[in-house]
């Protein structure tokens, strides 16, 4: 039976590294070790002033082609997930299509999702493959949230890093590797809890929106910056993730014991630990991989998967992983992949 | 209630014996990070999710306990 599978992943992080020591120098009362204890992040990579999500995505895709010997001409569709597109228009995917020298009859499209974006991208890729519209889909996730953060907002600056990942999704012919089913969720009532209020059509950036304000915790930001209501996002996550995991188990007729690995969106280590305990998952099967890159939004799951796939290459037995993405929107999704 | 008090003591970095209903939160760095941590602690100890804004408005531990009772 035709299915789709993740067959290769390559990540890319920008070269500039922002350490906890550097951040601690800006935040009174916070040591580098305290930042690590609270977030699970020691350092994050930051895009340069002229470096865009398109640039990071291109580098990830080139690395995918090079490391895995994939011909750009074999790609039937490019899907690009970002919330920091290079331009308002055209779609960054069209520019990336040219820079990667993909075929003229290869489709290319952007979609805007954050932390749930990778799982949605896999679902789109699987749909294209199973409908017969494509055999090889290049899914690229890339974001540069650092450009949206106020330097003195420690609630977000300690967490987020920039990064990209390129994933090859192919028609699965041997029946060993596969993906699905998928379960999804959306609650737009949470939109204001993780938002950049200006810069879109709803509200233009002006001198007034660029005025700084300080919140009760001492964090400084403007309306042009990313705002995160940490408590509400935590409440959403602790409610939505266990539910979507249960829905995936029901839909797939699988049990928690059937999964070799659990790769959740790497939001922050504290939140992940709460989810792990709530879902009673043993630490050996629960992946935490954000110490050296932070929360890279839609790229956290593929960046965590890449070394696991490399380690499992050539193994006799396939492994099953549960992927769960959740965050800005609110938007969430979960799936099972066998690789 | 002891696991909850122990958790609060860890969040506030004080001795568990110092935690009681009358403890004033503002005296122990009741910032957004402490609110997030407490929200997760309440979920773990009582399997209930309280509203973040209401939790942030709490002034004493007894206010948090009232929120939990009402959830």
């Amino acid at each position: 039976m035709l299915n789709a599978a993740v067959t290769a992943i390559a990540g890319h992080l920008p070269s500039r590294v922002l350490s906890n020591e550097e951040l601690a120098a800006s935040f009174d009362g916070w040591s580098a070790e305290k930042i690590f204890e609270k977030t699970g992040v020691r350092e994050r990579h930051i895009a340069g002033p002229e470096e865009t999500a398109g640039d990071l995505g291109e580098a990830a895709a080139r690395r995918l082609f090079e490391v895995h010997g994939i011909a750009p001409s074999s790609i039937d569709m490019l899907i690009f997930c970002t919330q920091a597109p290079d331009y308002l228009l055209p779609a960054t995917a069209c520019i990336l299509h040219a820079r990667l020298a993909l075929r003229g009859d290869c489709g290319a499209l952007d979609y805007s999702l954050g932390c749930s974006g990778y799982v949605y991208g896999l679902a789109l890729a699987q749909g294209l493959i199973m409908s017969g519209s494509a055999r090889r889909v290049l899914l690229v996730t890339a974001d540069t949230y650092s450009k949206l953060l106020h330097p003195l907002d420690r609630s977000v600056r300690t967490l987020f890093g920039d990064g990209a990942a390129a994933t090859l999704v192919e028609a699965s012919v041997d029946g060993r590797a596969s993906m699905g089913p998928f379960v999804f969720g959306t609650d737009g009532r949470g939109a204001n809890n993780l938002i950049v209020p200006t810069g879109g059509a709803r509200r233009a950036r002006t001198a007034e929106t660029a005025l700084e304000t300080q919140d009760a915790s001492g964090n400084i930001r403007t309306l042009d910056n990313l705002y995160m209501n940490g408590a509400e996002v935590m409440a959403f996550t602790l409610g939505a993730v266990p539910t979507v995991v249960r829905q995936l188990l029901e839909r797939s007729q699988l049990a928690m014991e059937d999964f070799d690995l659990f790769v959740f969106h790497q939001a922050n280590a504290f939140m992940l630990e709460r989810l792990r305990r709530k879902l009673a998952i043993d630490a050996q099967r629960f992946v935490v991989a954000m110490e050296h890159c932070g929360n890279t939004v839609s790229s956290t799951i593929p960046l965590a998967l890449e070394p696991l796939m490399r380690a499992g290459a050539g193994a006799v037995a396939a492994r099953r992983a549960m992927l769960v993405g959740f965050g800005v929107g609110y938007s969430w999704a979960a799936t099972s992949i066998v690789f | 209630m002891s696991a909850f008090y122990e958790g609060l003591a860890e969040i506030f970095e004080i001795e568990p014996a110092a935690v009681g209903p009358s403890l004033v939160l503002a005296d122990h760095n009741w910032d957004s990070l402490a609110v997030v941590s407490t929200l997760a602690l309440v979920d773990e100890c009582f399997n209930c999710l309280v509203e973040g804004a209401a939790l942030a408005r709490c002034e004493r531990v007894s206010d948090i306990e009232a929120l939990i009772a009402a959830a």
Side-chain angles (χ1 to χ4, degrees), chain A residues 93-116:
Chain A
C94 295
I95 297 165
L96 208 49
H97 174 281
R99 286 162 66 170
L100 294 172
L102 303 182
R103 289 195 328 262
D105 64 345
C106 166
L109 64 97
D110 282 8
Y111 67 103
S112 173
L113 281 175
C115 309
S116 63

Side-chain angles (χ1 to χ4, degrees), chain A residues 154 217 230-232 274 277-278, chain B residues 31-32 36 43-44 49 52-53:
Chain A
R154 70 181 177 195
S217 301
E232 296 301 346
R274 292 292 170 179
R277 287 162 67 164
K278 198 170 166 74
Chain B
D31 62 4
S32 59
V36 171
D43 180 56
E44 181 159 337
L49 290 169

Side-chain angles (χ1 to χ4, degrees), chain B residues 49-68:
Chain B
L49 290 169
V50 294
E51 195 203 335
L55 185 60
R57 282 194 300 270
C58 289
E59 293 179 359
R60 293 173 184 271
V61 170
S62 56
D63 297 330
I64 303 176
E65 290 167 335
L67 260 189
I68 295 165

Side-chain angles (χ1 to χ4, degrees), chain A residues 81 83 111 113-123 139 141 181-187 194 233 236-248 261-268 271-272 275 279 286-287 295-302 304-305 321-337:
Chain A
C81 176
Q83 297 197 306
Y111 67 103
L113 281 175
C115 309
S116 63
Y118 187 68
V119 181
Y120 275 86
L122 293 181
L139 168 62
T141 53
F182 289 85
V183 287
F184 308 103
T186 309
D187 185 356
L194 197 42
V233 172
F236 147 69
T237 303
L238 291 174
V241 172
T243 302
V244 80
V245 167
R246 193 181 66 246
Q247 290 168 337
L248 180 66
L261 295 164
F262 293 83
V263 186
F264 287 15
H265 164 57
Q266 307 284 299
N268 70 68
M271 183 184 277
L272 285 172
L275 286 171
L279 291 162
F286 192 80
V287 176
N295 177 343
T296 54
V297 196
S298 54
S299 296
T300 66
I301 293 174
L305 272 174
M322 180 188 289
L323 312 184
V324 184
F326 49 88
V328 57
Y330 302 136
S331 168
W332 62 98
T335 192
S336 161
I337 67 166

Side-chain angles (χ1 to χ4, degrees), chain A residues 112-335:
Chain A
S112 173
L113 281 175
C115 309
S116 63
Y118 187 68
V119 181
Y120 275 86
L122 293 181
L124 293 173
Q126 188 202 42
L128 287 162
I129 288 167
M130 293 184 75
S131 67
S133 301
R135 286 191 64 80
R136 276 191 148 182
V137 177
L138 174 61
L139 168 62
V140 179
T141 53
D143 252 309
T144 55
Y145 266 32
S146 71
K147 296 177 191 292
L148 303 170
L149 310 182
H150 193 286
L152 296 177
D153 186 351
R154 70 181 177 195
S155 71
V156 287
R157 202 142 175 259
T158 51
L159 293 176
F160 289 105
D162 300 330
T167 300
L168 186 67
V169 185
E170 295 187 86
S172 170
V173 286
D174 64 3
R176 171 175 143 146
S178 64
M179 66 171 69
F182 289 85
V183 287
F184 308 103
T186 309
D187 185 356
R189 291 171 299 179
N192 286 333
N193 291 325
L194 197 42
I195 191 169
V196 179
T198 66
R202 179 67 60 193
R203 188 165 184 185
R205 289 187 171 151
T206 64
E208 188 188 340
T209 66
L211 292 175
E212 291 178 338
T213 56
Q214 187 167 14
D215 69 16
S217 301
N219 295 305
I220 295 170
R221 70 181 72 86
T222 75
L223 288 173
D224 301 336
N225 297 128
L226 178 78
Y227 164 70
M228 182 175 75
N229 183 330
E232 296 301 346
V233 172
M234 173 64 89
F236 147 69
T237 303
L238 291 174
V241 172
T243 302
V244 80
V245 167
R246 193 181 66 246
Q247 290 168 337
L248 180 66
L249 295 178
E250 286 169 7
R251 188 78 62 85
S252 62
Q253 295 291 299
L254 293 168
M256 294 295 270
E257 298 73 44
D258 295 322
F259 289 88
D260 303 295
L261 295 164
F262 293 83
V263 186
F264 287 15
H265 164 57
Q266 307 284 299
N268 70 68
F270 174 75
M271 183 184 277
L272 285 172
E273 178 61 11
R274 292 292 170 179
L275 286 171
R276 185 187 74 76
R277 287 162 67 164
K278 198 170 166 74
L279 291 162
I281 301 168
D282 51 282
Q284 290 74 23
R285 292 188 295 159
F286 192 80
V287 176
V288 179
M290 59 187 308
E291 187 173 342
H292 299 292
C293 60
N295 177 343
T296 54
V297 196
S298 54
S299 296
T300 66
I301 293 174
L303 287 175
L305 272 174
E306 185 189 355
L308 298 169
M309 288 192 74
R310 203 166 43 235
V316 175
R319 290 186 296 170
R320 182 183 293 278
M322 180 188 289
L323 312 184
V324 184
F326 49 88
V328 57
Y330 302 136
S331 168
W332 62 98
T335 192

Side-chain angles (χ1 to χ4, degrees), chain A residues 48-125:
Chain A
E50 306 296 325
E51 200 170 24
T52 68
D55 296 332
L56 300 181
E58 179 187 356
R62 288 193 186 283
R63 199 176 144 247
L64 181 86
F65 294 158
E66 191 181 318
V67 171
H68 296 278
I70 296 161
S73 61
S74 69
I75 303 298
D76 301 314
M77 181 70 76
L78 166 63
I79 305 178
F80 187 66
C81 176
T82 191
Q83 297 197 306
D86 288 16
Y87 302 97
L88 274 177
L89 58 94
T92 308
C94 295
I95 297 165
L96 208 49
H97 174 281
R99 286 162 66 170
L100 294 172
L102 303 182
R103 289 195 328 262
D105 64 345
C106 166
L109 64 97
D110 282 8
Y111 67 103
S112 173
L113 281 175
C115 309
S116 63
Y118 187 68
V119 181
Y120 275 86
L122 293 181
L124 293 173

